[in-house]
Amino acid sequence: MLTILAPVSTHAQELTGDPANGESVFRKCMSCHRVGPDARNMVGPTLNGVVGRMAGSVADFNYSDANKNSGVTWDAATLDSYLENPRGFMPGTKMVFPGLPDPQDRADVIAYLAQFDEEGNMTEPAQ
């Protein structure tokens, strides 16, 4: 398995994400989201290429107005804030998931998601 370390600053601490643990934590997300080459939109949009993507931009997914009009780009910091408390970060979102309270779990999930390009292929880490 490819390993990408995604440093996340969360509430004044720097954490390094572990994508292997992130894959385990991501299982909580799989009732609504998918990643990988065969991923498709479900209750939530596919998360292929989410790191660096504009919010509300996956084709053929019916986003909330809050998400479509947020102007948010999903980088590590915004994903960290969103995953901690989705409705607190983006009032009006359709996402009902209560969030991941553990900062290390969030860093790990972000590192896991950062491995997937827009087509769901695992990318090589930046040199």
Side-chain angles (χ1 to χ4, degrees):
M1 174 177 242
L2 177 67
T3 299
I4 294 178
L5 300 178
V8 174
S9 291
T10 176
H11 305 293
Q13 61 183 347
E14 182 92 8
L15 299 175
T16 300
D18 173 2
N21 187 57
E23 182 176 13
S24 295
V25 176
F26 185 74
R27 289 186 185 118
K28 297 176 184 180
C29 311
M30 290 183 67
S31 61
C32 298
H33 296 282
R34 293 286 191 272
V35 291
D38 297 323
R40 59 179 169 63
N41 293 332
M42 299 178 58
V43 172
T46 180
L47 296 179
N48 290 334
V50 69
V51 179
R53 181 171 79 201
M54 289 294 297
S57 64
V58 171
D60 301 322
F61 187 77
N62 184 22
Y63 288 97
S64 65
D65 287 340
N67 200 301
K68 284 189 293 193
N69 301 322
S70 69
V72 167
T73 298
W74 297 121
D75 60 16
T78 56
L79 282 166
D80 179 61
S81 294
Y82 186 75
L83 292 173
E84 180 179 21
N85 181 358
R87 290 179 180 252
F89 178 86
M90 188 177 290
T93 185
K94 291 181 182 179
M95 190 155 135
V96 296
F97 184 71
L100 294 171
D102 184 289
Q104 187 63 60
D105 283 350
R106 294 192 307 271
D108 293 348
V109 166
I110 294 165
Y112 174 67
L113 293 174
Q115 299 179 109
F116 294 92
D117 68 14
E118 291 179 7
E119 289 77 39
N121 300 308
M122 298 288 267
T123 59
E124 293 296 321
Q127 299 294 327

